Amino acid sequence: MLARTAGEGAPLLQGSDEALLRVEGLTVDFGGVRVVDDVSFELMRGRTLGLVGESGSGKSVTARAILGLVATGGRIAAGSVHFQNRDLVRATRHELREIRGRDIAMIFQEPRRALDPSFKIGTQIAAVARRHLGLGKAQAWKHATQLLSEMRIPQAALRMHDYPHQFSGGMCQRVMLAMALVASPKVLIADEPTTALDVSVQARILELIREIQVERDLSVLFISHDLGVIAEMCDEVAVMYAGHLVERAAVESIFGHPRHPYTQALLDSLPQRGVGRFHQIRGTIPMPGEWPSGCRFAPRCDFAEPRCSAPERVALVEAADRHLARCVRTAELDLEGVE
Amino acid sequence: MTTVLEARSLAKTFVSSRDLLGRPIRKVQAVKDVSLQIERGEILGVLGETGAGKSTVGRLLVRLEEPDAGSVLVDGVDVGSLDKSARRALKAKVRMVFQDPFTSLSPRMSVGDSVAEPLRLLAELDRRARAVKVAGLLESVGLRAEDARRYPAEFSGGQLQRIAIARAIATNPSVVVCDEPVASLDMSMRAQVINLLRDLQAERGLALVFISHDLSLVELIAGRVLVMYRGRVVESGTASAILAAPQHPYTRALVDAVPIPNPKRRALRGGARLERSADDEQHDLPGCDFADRCPLVMDICRVARPDPRPTATGDAACHLVEGDRPAQPVVDGAAAQS
């Protein structure tokens, strides 16, 4: 078993050579309370990394911190975000504003709330094109129309004149995608992009994101609490619990052979045909500021031993080939995944 | 089997906008024609997407909305035919649990007061008897009697939803209508609530109407299921059988759209997608409501509305369904779901 401390963010996937975005030891505090604690991962070119976790695990804060979007009262206490020979944590506000949307774009859970109800769809997309590409009014409109139609919105030229309330939830997410892609970014951060949508709409949005990814060679950081969506979309998965990563590996490895009891418990809590009952994880997720010492999952873990509650934080170690887990018992446990 | 709750041809139209004089200019037919029956101790799933009318059906069942047409029968008694005091007695028998416990429980009332409220309004109990009852109810949902004095802000979402359930069962109802009871909860919280609902059903013979958009959840918890589309039931029958082998093309499309939490069986790659959304159009078409999106649409579908007809697993309202033959041939890709 190889202990990894400095190199936690090293690439896990074979064959994908280029790390486009490297997050190392990212730590975010809110009012002196740690919310994200020493998170490291790499986003490979043209690949999708899934960030899974429940509410309060710190996944959305991590995603926003990458772009320097930390809400009032919060600050990045440590760590770095390497992107194109730059550390975004140390970038100026001006530099970050240039990178946001141009190189790294983000879409959110509730697309309708991200759109201004009083402006036409077209005006809003075109404004982004004018801002990032320096296009004139007519050109920006044309570019926006083109993007809207690439997002598979029928009669895009006509729909440009519609207002957000005339669009369904799924259509609004397509508009958000069009806005995100205006300046041909290399990285797309998608924070629960389909959580508010119906399954049939979700399926089409997920399909669209995959197609766009291939067409544009995009790297995607896909944040979701839905293991089904994660399994459909991702090449690699990082599981967050109580502010830090507890497991990171290729998607087949995470689902097939989880190496952390929390991941297994999540898989067990999925409704499964013929099982009848949900497996229940006892207790509740510890909130920031209330994380137990040692393993933060130990109080809820079926496999916990006294040593799991040692004062020191458990290290993220290579539990199997290119499979990191933060569990002191990982080598002796034979956890079950999905078949 | 005793039928504890029955709905006959419910219909409900909402006015979505009015002109200057208050005359309706746009209406939404949320529920067009829905009939259902719930037996004692049964869990009936109601599936459908946004705008299908499933929440409105739930609200009509507990009389939070008055139907424009049709009737609701509690223990065989038509609620609409009763006077106010008689209705109150029936209200105690059909209760509701809402999606978001953070907004369905008053933040200014102690948990004990919230749970006691239906007892105060609908049951003849003095203060002391209510307190004893509330303590017992909180314990039956896995909380402590002392929690009665605490306020909602001190609880997690899963705990709050259990408190909301305690309030719903306070008056010993025979049916609880649960409208997306776990949709706003995290995965590990969902299990607590679902398991609690199942225990209550088993121990008290409680019947549940379980309204959800989550197919795998409905398949897990419900015995029977109704699939709703644009205000009507398009398919109904045994939940596990219908979701394993959908007969109606709409049910088929829904099942095919569910992501599978197993990267080896990625279901969404390839396969037919439903074009457009259910909420794109809301006109009441003369034919089948699903005709404009159906991959198997025929000429007759646009002119004649299909009546529900028996299938191998229940009923489906589709011209293509015949006897035990589903509307859509089961293709190879369907194995991904089973």
Side-chain angles (χ1 to χ4, degrees):
Chain A
M1 197 156 72
L2 173 71
R4 289 215 192 185
T5 43
E8 281 180 2
L12 295 173
L13 293 172
Q14 276 182 327
S16 53
D17 38 337
E18 194 186 338
L20 214 58
L21 185 80
R22 200 167 74 246
V23 175
E24 260 174 40
L26 191 66
T27 302
V28 182
D29 290 352
F30 272 87
V33 178
R34 190 134 297 180
V35 173
V36 172
D37 188 11
D38 192 18
V39 169
S40 303
F41 56 79
E42 280 191 336
L43 193 53
M44 312 307 287
R45 188 192 169 124
R47 300 281 196 150
T48 303
L49 170 68
L51 198 53
V52 201
E54 297 179 85
S55 321
S57 63
K59 56 190 196 303
S60 286
V61 178
T62 301
R64 281 156 204 251
I66 289 172
L67 286 172
L69 295 170
V70 181
T72 320
R75 66 182 190 99
I76 298 179
S80 58
V81 176
H82 288 284
F83 177 72
Q84 291 183 335
N85 306 320
R86 261 194 288 195
D87 180 1
L88 302 189
V89 171
R90 273 149 204 90
T92 63
R93 275 167 68 184
H94 177 75
E95 285 174 317
L96 278 173
R97 222 170 11 215
E98 292 301 305
I99 289 164
R100 275 183 219 139
R102 184 166 301 175
D103 297 310
I104 305 176
M106 189 158 179
I107 57 172
F108 301 94
Q109 178 171 348
E110 284 185 61
R112 201 184 298 275
R113 273 169 45 181
L115 292 167
D116 191 322
S118 49
F119 288 93
K120 288 178 179 178
I121 295 290
T123 311
Q124 299 189 54
I125 308 173
V128 182
R130 296 180 72 178
R131 165 78 179 78
H132 281 307
L133 304 177
L135 297 177
K137 214 170 176 179
Q139 273 184 305
W141 189 269
K142 210 175 139 197
H143 186 66
T145 312
Q146 170 67 24
L147 275 165
L148 204 56
S149 101
E150 277 179 42
M151 296 309 115
R152 331 283 193 255
I153 291 189
Q155 297 181 294
L158 284 175
R159 302 305 302 255
M160 286 282 283
H161 295 277
D162 283 352
Y163 288 87
H165 75 270
Q166 292 166 288
F167 274 41
S168 65
M171 301 270 278
C172 283
Q173 196 56 283
R174 286 167 196 264
V175 172
M176 290 312 296
L177 267 171
M179 284 168 86
L181 297 173
V182 158
S184 304
K186 294 159 196 76
V187 176
L188 177 69
I189 300 176
D191 188 359
E192 303 264 11
T194 60
T195 303
L197 304 175
D198 278 317
V199 281
S200 66
V201 182
Q202 166 173 278
R204 285 180 289 141
I205 295 289
L206 295 179
E207 189 175 44
L208 177 64
I209 293 175
R210 271 197 309 267
E211 287 170 6
I212 293 166
Q213 176 173 29
V214 174
E215 285 164 19
R216 296 170 171 254
D217 199 22
L218 264 181
S219 304
V220 180
L221 178 62
F222 198 99
I223 296 149
S224 180
H225 70 281
D226 185 328
L227 290 167
V229 172
I230 290 286
E232 295 279 353
M233 294 297 288
C234 302
D235 302 302
E236 198 189 327
V237 180
V239 182
M240 267 190 104
Y241 184 79
H244 62 190
L245 298 190
V246 294
E247 186 161 8
R248 184 159 77 89
V251 64
E252 294 83 6
S253 198
I254 287 271
F255 281 83
H257 293 281
R259 306 283 175 172
H260 195 288
Y262 176 61
T263 311
Q264 188 199 30
L266 283 184
L267 291 172
D268 277 355
S269 70
L270 294 166
Q272 274 162 348
R273 183 165 290 163
V275 175
R277 263 184 96 83
F278 262 143
H279 176 81
Q280 198 165 316
I281 310 178
R282 64 190 139 90
T284 53
I285 311 152
M287 285 296 118
E290 295 166 10
W291 296 334
S293 66
C295 172
R296 291 175 192 167
F297 184 60
R300 308 177 68 194
C301 180
D302 290 338
F303 305 99
E305 290 182 345
R307 64 182 163 127
C308 298
S309 302
E312 315 82 49
R313 182 179 170 201
V314 180
L316 193 63
V317 297
E318 191 158 7
D321 190 26
R322 294 188 301 283
H323 193 133
L324 306 182
R326 198 184 290 280
C327 172
V328 293
R329 298 199 60 198
T330 187
E332 60 199 85
L333 297 177
D334 187 19
L335 301 175
E336 274 176 38
V338 294
E339 73 293 341
Chain B
M1 291 280 250
T2 29
T3 302
V4 288
L5 184 65
E6 186 178 352
R8 291 183 186 158
S9 304
L10 289 178
K12 180 74 185 175
T13 300
F14 294 102
V15 176
S16 62
S17 62
R18 293 175 185 275
D19 65 10
L20 273 176
L21 301 173
R23 290 174 303 207
I25 48 174
R26 225 177 126 226
K27 293 179 180 179
V28 176
Q29 283 184 287
V31 175
K32 292 167 187 165
D33 181 3
V34 171
S35 300
L36 56 85
Q37 274 187 26
I38 301 135
E39 310 295 332
R40 191 183 138 76
E42 182 190 31
I43 302 185
L44 175 71
V46 179
L47 260 179
E49 296 184 281
T50 311
K54 54 192 193 305
S55 287
T56 306
V57 166
R59 295 171 70 86
L60 289 168
L61 289 176
V62 298
R63 261 334 206 236
L64 275 173
E65 305 282 355
E66 288 294 313
D68 297 335
S71 51
V72 174
L73 288 78
V74 178
D75 288 338
V77 181
D78 185 344
V79 183
S81 70
L82 300 173
D83 63 22
K84 228 175 170 184
S85 65
R87 265 194 194 197
R88 176 168 287 195
L90 287 189
K91 258 198 163 144
K93 293 196 165 179
V94 186
R95 308 297 298 160
M96 187 150 183
V97 172
F98 299 89
Q99 172 168 353
D100 186 353
F102 292 95
T103 53
S104 70
L105 292 167
S106 166
R108 293 177 214 284
M109 275 167 84
S110 74
V111 156
D113 286 347
S114 277
V115 174
E117 200 171 28
L119 292 172
R120 196 162 53 77
L121 297 171
L122 301 172
E124 310 268 318
L125 289 177
D126 62 26
R127 186 180 290 267
R128 184 162 303 165
R130 282 206 302 266
V132 171
K133 178 102 198 210
V134 166
L137 285 165
L138 287 175
E139 280 167 3
S140 70
V141 298
L143 288 136
R144 292 166 307 162
E146 305 90 86
D147 289 332
R149 285 194 299 270
R150 296 167 67 196
Y151 285 81
E154 302 172 59
F155 296 94
S156 71
Q159 288 171 324
L160 287 179
Q161 198 58 298
R162 285 188 278 150
I163 292 164
I165 291 168
R167 181 175 60 176
I169 61 172
T171 56
N172 289 324
S174 40
V175 187
V176 174
V177 177
C178 305
D179 190 359
E180 301 273 9
V182 297
S184 61
L185 303 180
D186 266 313
M187 285 170 285
S188 62
M189 303 278 148
R190 274 179 198 199
Q192 298 175 356
V193 172
I194 293 296
N195 289 343
L196 171 64
L197 288 173
R198 295 197 71 137
D199 289 344
L200 292 172
Q201 177 231 358
E203 288 160 17
R204 300 177 171 232
L206 187 65
L208 300 175
V209 178
F210 191 89
I211 299 169
S212 178
H213 68 282
D214 186 330
L215 281 89
S216 39
L217 204 53
V218 167
E219 183 175 16
L220 179 83
I221 192 171
R224 264 190 324 129
V225 66
L226 307 180
V227 182
M228 284 190 68
Y229 186 76
R230 288 185 187 168
R232 284 182 223 275
V233 176
V234 293
E235 183 162 5
S236 65
T238 314
S240 54
I242 281 184
L243 297 173
Q247 308 290 302
H248 196 284
Y250 176 65
T251 317
R252 169 90 265 162
L254 267 189
V255 167
D256 286 347
V258 177
I260 310 235
N262 186 343
K264 287 185 191 157
R265 296 190 291 161
R266 285 176 168 163
L268 302 189
R269 310 269 162 124
R273 281 295 92 74
L274 277 185
E275 287 312 316
R276 315 165 64 172
S277 306
D279 54 1
D280 280 357
E281 303 284 331
Q282 277 287 358
H283 308 306
D284 198 18
L285 307 162
C288 173
D289 295 285
F290 188 55
D292 58 340
R293 296 170 82 200
C294 184
L296 306 175
V297 65
M298 309 174 296
D299 290 341
I300 186 176
C301 305
R302 302 189 199 276
V303 290
R305 171 166 307 124
D307 287 322
R309 43 187 86 181
T311 65
T313 52
D315 289 286
C318 175
H319 289 298
L320 278 164
V321 168
E322 260 173 55
D324 52 1
R325 195 171 64 86
Q328 203 164 340
V330 181
V331 289
D332 300 344
Q337 250 295 312
S338 54

